[in-house]
Amino acid sequence: MLRLNDIVERVQATRPSANIELIHKAYVFTAKVHHGQLRLSGEPYLIHPLNVAYILAEWNLDEETVATGLLHDTVEDTVASGEEVRELFGDTVSQMVDGVTKISRVVISDVADQKAESLRKMILAMGKDLRVVLVKLADRLHNMRTIGHLSPDKQVAVARETREIYTPIASRLGMARVKMEMEDRCFEVLHPEDFRELTRMADERKRDRESHIRNVVEILEKKIRESGFEAQVNGRSKHIAGLFEKMARQGIDFDHVYDFIGFRIVVKSLRECYEALGIVHSLWKPVPARFKDYIAMPKANLYQSLHTTVFGPNAELMEIQIRTEEMHALAEYGVAAHWKYKEGRPVVGKGDQMFLWLRQILELQQEMKDPGEFLNTVKVELFPEEVYVFTPRGDVKELPRGATTIDFAYAVHTEVGNQCVGAKVNGKMVPLKTVLKNGDVIEIVTHPAHKPSKDWLKIASTSRALNKIRAVVRQEQQEGSLALGRQILDRELRKYSLSLNKVLKSKEFEETLQETRLKTADDYCIALGYGKMSMFPLLRKIVPPEQLQEKVKESTLGALIKRVTTRKPSAIVVKGMDDIFIRIGNCCNPVPGDPIVGFITRGRGVTIHSRDCPKALENDPVRAIDVAWEAGTKAAHPVKLKVVCADKPGLLADISRTITASDVDIRRAVVTTTRDKRAVCNFEVSVNDAKHLSGLIKSIEKLKSVYSVERGKG
Ligand code: MN
């Protein structure tokens, strides 16, 4: 267990003149008021404030902040009062404790507006002393480290709040280490399976990785020593959440994350940074587009470093960061590092600049009467992945980047979305597909008789809008089929002078429903309308056999689907029916062996999609019919392939050779090169079936310098 002495030693290591008495006093008080309290783990509660104080000491913070760490839960969770804390520890510490207490009282919620409201409260609480946010971050970090003792629901809620509020703040304050640890711990709670899988894969490659790191570090250290200066060189793997994010963003798998290991050179002076860069580039060839000089052009959170990506000893890409010790401390601990270089309270310096955005927001808060405007400003600062737009009345809506006016309309209200006929952005009429920008004021023009169009599925991007549009499209399809089904049945019954309404109430119809396992007459008519079912079983019950006309076939599909005489259609069987026009969806281009589903398209036969094709999801499941690949067919099927590889001469020829060697025809090839010396090759090839295709993908993947092979969509 952590002892008070560990904390004191840690503080004294960086600040020999620190007022240790204050920390002792805070410890005695905390131990007294938390006495008898237990954490959910069963351990004494005192462990928590001790750890928070230790984290703050590790960040080299001053004794007032460390004491606040010890006291941070006393007012919230014990009989101690704010007054008592003020008498014993003075105004500064008690105001900080008060600030942390206020933030702790903010209710956990991930509803967008409440999230912004939590932030507002938090920023206000920080207002008095900005060190409050550091105490709160240390508090949250320790809570995340011990989250396993909470119930699963609570774990998810705390991890979400951490991800949405605390991680962006840590990032904005340049505290990369805290940010990464929080990201990994949230990821472990929110995506346990992905976390385990990635950790396992990373562990498997540990030995190779470690010898690679040792090798690169040795080469670099030797060269730098020869040039007459000292540097710390180390290499380490990307953190798990960062790795996952990268894989998801680029759509690549684990083996294709090429800058999985990053190297870092820490030197003593600015000049040595550029000298070290020269050494790196003389050893290995750099990738020009990936060189970044954040020393000359610091990031918004004041991060400074040189970044370069080179082709390493085995021609694999590796990223190297070069910086001074001071820049390094700032990169790891961000604003907290500031206190290492200055005794006592910060004067004017980098730390203050880092907090500048917070100060500006605070001032804004005082000026702005409109909370929407205020929240917008705060959120744009913290969540660059989202856009914040306004309704004409000034309500703020949060949407993912890339959202269009349709997404906005559905974010306002389902009816507004459904009846949307046009949109004005900042007072100007724009096409519905217009992508929204931060601060846009959007007015949706509606018409009560209007219905969403299927095309909107292409321009909406939020799941809310997509789901609502799909529901209406399906509803319309069902209504159309219901009317058609009734019409077909009515027409047929008239031939025998039977009334539709009477038949639908007959006991024969009731029996038919039971046999077909349909619930209502409407369901029955819908199934007829889609051509999924024959009305023959029903007719047999109510029409004497001698009257039953021959042209009513076992399948009524014929009545609905234009029979198209084509060449023997693709190798697909539809429930034993043979003269149906079959079309393969050119969105997903399934090949034999892929799981497929068919949809009846009125007048156009059956369209086949892969089971997971987004187009298949748009269709009404009622229209789906069972389809299967005919065994043993050897027709050629078009497939799109996307190969990402190094932009090297001869590689395209190698890939083409591999494709033809697998007995596959190339129909088309388009190659584009990117600035980071990669080539993206889009092939259209013909394969026999899924097995043929996967064999082909494997053999391309085996080629050296091929980063990824993917089956193209759309
Ligand atoms: Mn706490």
Side-chain angles (χ1 to χ4, degrees), residues 629-640:
W629 294 102
E630 208 162 49
T633 45
K634 266 249 155 83
H637 294 267
V639 170
K640 289 169 187 154

Side-chain angles (χ1 to χ4, degrees), residues 293-314:
D293 187 346
Y294 292 120
I295 292 181
M297 301 273 290
K299 287 193 186 180
N301 62 15
L302 302 182
Y303 172 89
Q304 285 187 302
S305 219
L306 298 175
H307 287 193
T308 184
T309 301
V310 296
F311 293 96
N314 309 311

Side-chain angles (χ1 to χ4, degrees), residues 401-407 410 431-435 452-463 465-470 473 583 586-587 604 609 613-618 714:
R401 220 162 253 291
T404 60
T405 59
I406 292 283
D407 294 304
Y410 279 98
L432 289 177
K433 62 168 193 249
T434 304
V435 173
S453 120
K454 212 174 156 181
D455 294 338
W456 288 6
L457 291 167
K458 290 187 202 119
I459 52 181
S461 65
T462 54
S463 50
L466 289 169
N467 287 336
K468 302 282 180 191
I469 300 165
R470 266 177 206 145
V473 170
R583 247 168 20 108
N586 56 12
C587 38
R604 280 190 294 137
H609 291 281
C613 174
K615 273 278 162 61
L617 297 170
E618 280 170 25

